[in-house]
């Protein structure tokens, strides 16, 4: 599992995109919630709840004891042969997690991932 932490300083109008395929993730403007996946999207979660999406949240929820980060790590350990990218977006009071499958093993820098994910 590869992990990138994004700490936006200011947030204007934005949309979320798959960092590997550049497909727009179906989210409301200026929202970190994703209702339908696109590209290589696996899951999305916030720090204290599960988003309602089409990802693997049912499986991740089985590992939910104390935190989303712990549940995601346990999920990723079940798939050591998969190249999972975890994007963690840290705002003032909230943290959001997004999982993507890097099937082609694209080598992107943290900066490239950040620029491709939030536009």
């Amino acid at each position: 599992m590869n992990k990138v932490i994004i700490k936006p300083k200011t947030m204007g109008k934005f949309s979320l995109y798959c960092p590997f395929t550049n497909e727009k993730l179906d989210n409301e403007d200026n929202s970190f919630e994703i209702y339908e996946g696109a590209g290589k999207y696996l899951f999305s979660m916030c720090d204290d709840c599960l988003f309602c999406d089409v990802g693997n949240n049912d499986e991740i929820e089985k590992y939910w004891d104390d935190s989303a980060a712990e549940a995601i790590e346990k999920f990723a350990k079940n798939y050591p042969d998969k190249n999972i990218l975890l994007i963690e977006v840290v705002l003032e009071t909230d943290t959001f997690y997004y999982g993507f499958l890097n099937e082609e093993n694209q080598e992107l820098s943290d900066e490239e991932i950040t620029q491709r994910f939030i536009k």
Side-chain angles (χ1 to χ4, degrees):
M1 179 175 78
N2 181 28
K3 182 176 179 180
V4 174
I5 299 174
I6 301 173
K7 295 181 180 180
K9 292 180 174 79
T10 59
M11 294 300 301
K13 186 172 179 169
F14 68 91
S15 293
L16 304 178
Y17 292 80
C18 175
F20 301 115
T21 65
N22 202 36
E23 292 176 68
K24 186 176 188 295
L25 302 173
D26 188 41
N27 67 315
E28 297 175 12
D29 286 341
N30 296 337
S31 171
F32 284 99
E33 279 191 63
I34 297 171
Y35 295 106
E36 293 181 21
K40 307 297 181 181
Y41 170 75
L42 290 173
F43 62 83
S44 62
M45 303 172 73
C46 66
D47 204 27
D48 60 355
C49 67
L50 295 171
F51 287 148
C52 180
D53 68 8
V54 296
N56 293 294
N57 286 2
D58 289 342
E59 183 176 351
I60 295 170
E61 189 173 14
K62 293 188 286 187
Y63 308 115
W64 190 286
D65 290 324
D66 296 319
S67 71
E70 181 181 298
I72 291 166
E73 286 179 27
K74 289 178 181 177
F75 169 79
K77 284 181 183 177
N78 285 342
Y79 301 95
D81 57 327
K82 303 294 182 190
N83 192 356
I84 296 174
L85 167 66
L86 173 64
I87 297 177
E88 182 177 326
V89 179
V90 180
L91 299 175
E92 291 178 14
T93 58
D94 295 309
T95 303
F96 303 91
Y97 303 92
Y98 302 90
F100 296 91
L101 187 59
N102 186 0
E103 291 177 314
E104 287 85 33
N105 295 320
Q106 294 180 35
E107 292 190 27
L108 302 173
S109 69
D110 291 0
E111 185 177 296
E112 286 176 304
I113 291 170
T114 300
Q115 291 173 348
R116 290 175 178 214
F117 180 62
I118 299 176
K119 297 180 185 180

